């Protein structure tokens, strides 16, 4: 059995926290660039130009793209033939978040208790999703999530009778109600099926997909295109100041569900949809 | 887009003249403040106690900046969602606040109070934290140091780009812009 020291996890998580917050993904940069060429609103074009300029400056000067450097969401594919030694797995990840945020001058945005609200001062703890997979590797993705967009996300338990029409309406209504708050243009993660919490997880995970890449399920690919076109007719536009670019992409994940239900979650994410991955 | 250079603190005449949709470059002193500071300020007012700072004639920027890296004035410092401040805002307008900078829509109550007390709401570019930090030439903590990124700062800005989102007459660019571009045109 392969072994790795817990400190290796800490180092990688720290590095990924900084990488995700400072360097805009090439897929998003390309999507913003294309949106800028198509946008018809003058204010919208100016916003998109400035966002591209901001991302370029952030990368060059090693500054966070956005001051909301998010709550650290960490996805791990954990190979079952791997043993972590010299410390515990969860502590190692949180230590990585602490180190990454402190050393990278990233904002501490987490409160210890949601009701008493005292800042933990180091952005810990992370939200950690671990999946046990075959093999002896550790695939770690850090996806810092800002709350301007997280706050506007929604979940519903639809009925089977509502079907795909219900899904369309719920996604559109969520984006429409969110308006300017989630910092459009958005990446819209949609999770359909499973149980309540599984739908939310699927929606979050959908945000990790390469922006505007084709869904491998042809029917979902069609639904994604249809929804994207519908969302971009809402008029919300960049920053919600009016325009044709309200969303850059819609990504849908599904999972088998119960005969009685149709859970759906819509996780909105801003134009700084961040994630960075490394395999140990 | 033509940008109009505007001096802070905002004068009454300037506030009256600003119109939704205008692009501005702001110059001068601002206050910062967001959720936790607003909550504490309003609790202080409701308890009948004195605020640690005066809001008379001030403009507030809804921001919680990143820590300041060595050699810089401030870390990334883009606007946060203004709507969360709506429940506190009318009381601060009553205290003399005349300008607000943030992102996103405001409530009908806030828009009405802006008209009543004479205030303007300006939108900064959400998510452009790195770019905006370059327009901040001075930053020091004025109050509520214990709130970390949510402390109240005195900021001085040079050519900070904003758009008039809601003017004193209640014209709302978020509504106007959306209406203009909605549909399949």
């Amino acid at each position: 059995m392969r072994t790795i020291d817990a400190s290796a996890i800490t180092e990688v998580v720290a590095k990924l926290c900084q990488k995700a917050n400072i360097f805009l993904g090439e897929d998003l940069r390309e999507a913003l660039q294309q949106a800028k060429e198509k946008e018809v609103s003058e204010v919208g074009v100016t916003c998109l130009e400035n966002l591209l300029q901001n991302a370029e400056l952030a990368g060059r000067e090693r500054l966070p793209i956005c001051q909301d450097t998010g709550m650290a969401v960490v996805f791990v594919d954990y190979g079952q033939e791997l043993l972590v030694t010299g410390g515990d797995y969860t502590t190692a990840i949180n230590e990585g978040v602490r180190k990454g945020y402190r050393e990278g001058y990233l904002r501490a945005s987490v409160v210890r208790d949601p009701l008493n609200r005292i800042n933990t001062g180091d952005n810990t703890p992370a939200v950690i999703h671990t999946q046990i997979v075959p093999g002896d590797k550790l695939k770690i993705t850090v996806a810092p999530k800002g709350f301007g967009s997280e706050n506007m996300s929604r979940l519903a338990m639809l009925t089977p009778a509502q079907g795909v029409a219900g899904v369309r309406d719920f996604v559109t209504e969520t984006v429409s109600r969110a308006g300017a708050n989630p910092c459009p243009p958005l990446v819209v993660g949609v999770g359909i099926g499973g149980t309540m919490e599984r739908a939310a997880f699927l929606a979050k995970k959908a945000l990790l997909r390469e922006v505007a890449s084709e869904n491998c399920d042809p029917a979902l690919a069609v639904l994604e295109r249809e929804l994207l076109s519908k969302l971009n007719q809402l008029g919300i536009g960049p920053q919600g100041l009016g325009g044709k670019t309200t969303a850059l992409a819609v990504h849908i994940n599904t999972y088998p569900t119960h005969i009685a239900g149709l859970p759906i979650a819509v996780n909105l994410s801003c134009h700084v949809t961040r994630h960075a991955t490394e395999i140990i | 887009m033509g940008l109009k250079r505007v001096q802070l603190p905002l004068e009454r005449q300037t506030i009256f003249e600003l119109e939704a949709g205008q692009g501005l470059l702001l110059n001068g002193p601002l206050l910062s403040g967001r959720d936790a500071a607003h909550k504490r300020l309003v609790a202080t007012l409701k308890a009948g106690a004195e605020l640690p700072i005066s809001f008379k004639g001030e403009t507030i920027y809804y921001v919680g900046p990143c820590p300041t890296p060595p050699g810089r004035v401030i870390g990334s410092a883009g606007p946060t969602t203004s709507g969360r401040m709506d429940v506190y805002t009318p009381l601060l307008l009553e205290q003399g606040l005349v300008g607000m900078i943030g992102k996103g829509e405001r409530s009908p109550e806030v828009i009405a109070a802006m008209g009543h007390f004479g205030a303007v709401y300006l939108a900064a570019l959400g998510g452009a934290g790195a770019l905006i930090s370059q327009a901040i030439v001075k930053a020091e903590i004025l109050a509520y140091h214990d709130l970390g990124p949510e402390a109240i700062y005195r900021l001085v800005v040079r050519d900070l780009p904003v758009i008039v989102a809601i003017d004193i007459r209640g014209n709302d660019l978020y509504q106007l812009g959306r209406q203009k571009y909605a549909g399949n045109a």
Side-chain angles (χ1 to χ4, degrees):
Chain A
M1 184 176 249
R2 182 175 170 234
T3 64
I4 59 164
D5 196 82
S7 63
I9 298 176
T10 297
E11 289 305 317
V12 167
V13 169
K15 191 169 83 181
L16 293 175
C17 288
Q18 295 185 16
K19 187 178 171 195
N21 271 301
I22 292 168
F23 301 100
L24 188 72
E26 186 53 36
D27 54 342
L28 262 181
R29 203 195 60 77
E30 181 57 34
L32 287 169
Q33 186 69 40
Q34 284 184 16
K36 191 190 87 177
E37 279 151 30
K38 281 192 282 187
E39 180 55 61
V40 293
S41 141
E42 192 192 346
V43 176
V45 171
T46 306
C47 286
L48 294 167
E49 271 170 5
N50 289 337
L51 292 178
L52 284 162
Q53 204 187 330
N54 178 67
E56 198 271 326
L57 175 75
R60 178 160 39 92
E61 300 282 329
R62 303 284 191 273
L63 290 167
I65 304 163
C66 176
Q67 78 292 333
D68 184 355
T69 49
M71 188 160 192
V73 182
V74 182
F75 293 90
V76 184
D77 285 348
Y78 190 124
Q80 63 185 24
E81 289 159 53
L82 177 75
L83 183 68
V84 175
T85 58
D88 84 274
Y89 166 78
T90 303
T91 305
I93 291 176
N94 281 322
E95 195 50 50
V97 170
R98 184 173 290 121
K99 182 176 157 71
Y101 274 71
R102 281 212 171 132
E103 293 177 0
Y105 297 92
L106 308 177
R107 195 179 75 183
S109 310
V110 173
V111 292
R112 169 79 53 209
D113 181 305
L115 299 177
N116 289 337
R117 308 198 71 84
I118 310 291
N119 198 309
T120 61
D122 56 14
N123 218 49
T124 64
V127 173
I128 305 169
H129 300 292
T130 307
Q131 194 176 359
I132 309 288
V133 297
D136 63 358
K137 300 279 193 293
L138 209 55
K139 181 181 173 190
I140 303 178
T141 298
V142 176
K145 188 63 171 75
F147 261 54
S149 55
E150 194 74 356
N151 278 338
M152 307 315 290
S153 302
R154 289 165 81 217
L155 186 141
M157 304 303 282
L158 303 181
T159 63
Q162 286 174 283
V164 72
V167 165
R168 274 191 209 105
D169 288 350
F170 187 72
V171 173
T172 311
E173 190 190 296
T174 300
V175 173
S176 178
R177 279 167 48 149
N181 288 351
C183 275
L186 307 173
V187 177
V188 180
V190 182
I192 309 172
T195 47
M196 188 183 86
E197 86 286 2
R198 175 52 63 97
F201 174 76
L202 291 171
K204 176 76 75 208
K205 213 162 180 193
L207 299 174
L208 302 181
R209 208 174 97 202
E210 191 183 327
V211 169
S213 60
E214 180 93 353
N215 195 310
C216 47
D217 177 326
L220 292 179
V222 170
L223 184 57
E224 287 179 355
R225 278 196 292 272
E226 194 189 314
L227 278 169
L228 182 62
S229 149
K230 207 169 168 191
L231 297 179
N232 285 333
Q233 286 170 34
L234 290 172
I236 296 169
Q239 292 293 306
L241 297 169
K244 291 292 184 191
T245 319
T246 300
L248 298 169
V250 178
H251 294 167
I252 304 175
N253 276 337
T254 61
Y255 192 80
T257 191
H258 190 278
I259 50 174
L262 178 52
I264 175 167
V266 179
N267 197 193
L268 298 183
S269 191
C270 61
H271 55 77
V272 193
T273 296
R274 298 159 287 197
H275 47 91
T277 301
E278 194 168 313
I279 295 170
I280 308 178
Chain B
M1 219 168 92
L3 299 173
K4 181 185 156 92
R5 208 166 249 121
V6 166
Q7 195 62 41
L8 298 165
L10 293 169
E11 288 176 10
R12 289 203 75 78
Q13 185 62 26
T14 311
I15 295 166
F16 190 78
E17 284 167 4
L18 293 176
E19 287 182 3
Q22 261 182 316
L24 312 178
L25 292 172
L26 298 181
N27 285 272
L30 293 169
L31 293 171
S32 81
R34 50 171 294 160
D35 306 65
H38 276 74
K39 188 176 180 185
R40 200 178 282 182
L41 288 165
V42 166
T44 306
L45 282 174
K46 286 189 171 163
E50 201 168 316
L51 295 181
I53 46 168
S54 164
F55 281 88
K56 199 152 184 55
E58 292 282 359
T59 293
I60 196 166
Y61 179 24
Y62 303 134
V63 61
C66 281
T68 309
R72 292 197 170 265
V73 174
I74 198 166
S76 289
T80 194
T81 307
S82 311
R84 291 195 314 272
M85 269 40 87
D86 282 354
V87 289
Y88 307 115
T89 297
L91 264 177
L92 291 187
L93 292 172
E94 200 182 315
Q95 292 293 310
L97 184 71
V98 296
M100 298 163 283
I101 306 170
K103 66 170 177 88
E105 295 92 343
R106 306 307 301 263
S107 69
E109 291 77 16
V110 168
I111 297 175
M114 284 168 55
H116 182 73
F117 294 109
V120 65
Y121 171 52
L122 311 167
L125 186 60
L131 203 57
I132 291 173
S133 74
Q134 290 201 317
I136 300 172
V137 294
K138 203 174 162 198
E140 59 181 6
I141 294 180
L142 274 194
Y144 302 162
H145 197 287
D146 61 301
L147 295 180
E150 297 199 74
I152 295 179
Y153 284 73
R154 167 63 75 197
L155 303 176
V156 178
V157 294
R158 188 184 296 149
D159 285 347
L160 173 70
V162 295
I163 297 175
V164 181
I166 305 175
D167 63 29
I168 194 173
R169 288 163 288 276
N171 296 309
D172 183 346
L173 185 61
Y174 289 107
Q175 278 185 20
L176 298 171
R178 191 165 167 171
Q179 279 159 13
K180 185 171 172 188
Y181 293 100
N184 206 3

